[in-house]
Amino acid sequence: MSSDQSMPLPARSVEVARALAEAGVCGQVRELSESTRTAAEAASALGCDVGAIANSLIFISGDEPVLVLASGRHKVDTAALASRWGRGWLRRATPEQVRRATGQAIGGVSPVGHPRTLPTVVDTALAEYPQLWAAAGTPRTVFPTTAEELLRLTGGLLLPVGP
Ligand code: 5CA
């Protein structure tokens, strides 16, 4: 992993760092020289298991955006998750819907730092890893976290999301 902590963070990540600090999180946002746009790229840049990457995925449920924090090791089974969550059908958000719901762009969507708190599910698979990494508002910024911390930060529910 290479990172340069002497450079100021991008504005989207400053927002995330502020939300983390306000919540009393001690993990620091770091900006990497390599892309962390996808879970595979993030895992390679960080030298961790792809399953330890917490992807922040936005779905539309009814008319409402919702957040699914999913392990990078599998795809979300939307039908099974909707039923477990007691919601109607979950549709993948469009890039524009992602931006409106989070203020962030695909590839850098963070679990926090959004204009409003979104109904959230945290993948049970994430609880298998002692340390996770999540995006921090841009496709090159990440922060270290845990499933427990993600649940606390988002007020989310712990549910299986994979197939
Ligand atoms: N930075 C990494 C995690 S550290 C990251 O953001 N991973 S991610 O999986 O949450 O973001 C990439 C995801 O964006 C893809 O898995 C995919 O679910 C979503 N995505 C990519 N293109 C589109 C698109 N056109 N519309 C909606 N979602 C998309």
Side-chain angles (χ1 to χ4, degrees):
M1 168 187 6
S2 64
S3 61
D4 182 351
Q5 301 313 306
S6 63
M7 296 288 285
L9 287 172
R12 296 288 177 221
S13 302
V14 170
E15 197 62 44
V16 171
R18 186 185 312 143
L20 293 175
E22 272 170 16
V25 168
C26 44
Q28 297 286 312
V29 172
R30 59 198 73 182
E31 184 166 33
L32 304 184
S33 53
E34 302 102 301
S35 167
T36 57
R37 184 175 295 279
T38 64
E41 285 179 349
S44 150
L46 292 159
C48 71
D49 191 302
V50 73
I53 302 297
N55 284 328
S56 304
L57 305 173
I58 303 294
F59 292 88
I60 306 296
S61 168
D63 280 338
E64 187 185 26
V66 299
L67 174 64
V68 178
L69 301 179
S71 165
R73 78 181 189 205
H74 52 209
K75 288 208 150 141
V76 175
D77 180 339
T78 50
L81 177 58
S83 139
R84 284 185 200 116
W85 202 350
R87 289 186 168 270
W89 189 246
L90 296 172
R91 279 179 292 120
R92 175 61 58 89
T94 65
E96 178 51 35
Q97 287 171 324
V98 170
R99 191 174 277 285
R100 219 176 305 133
T102 66
Q104 298 156 346
I106 283 169
V109 176
S110 176
V112 296
H114 307 148
R116 277 172 305 283
T117 303
L118 303 168
T120 303
V121 156
V122 177
D123 186 355
T124 49
L126 291 172
E128 294 174 28
Y129 302 88
Q131 183 180 259
L132 306 172
W133 293 90
T138 76
R140 275 198 197 177
T141 52
V142 291
F143 69 95
T145 186
T146 63
E148 200 180 324
E149 189 172 80
L150 289 174
L151 284 165
R152 184 171 70 76
L153 283 170
T154 60
L157 284 170
L158 189 65
L159 287 176
V161 311

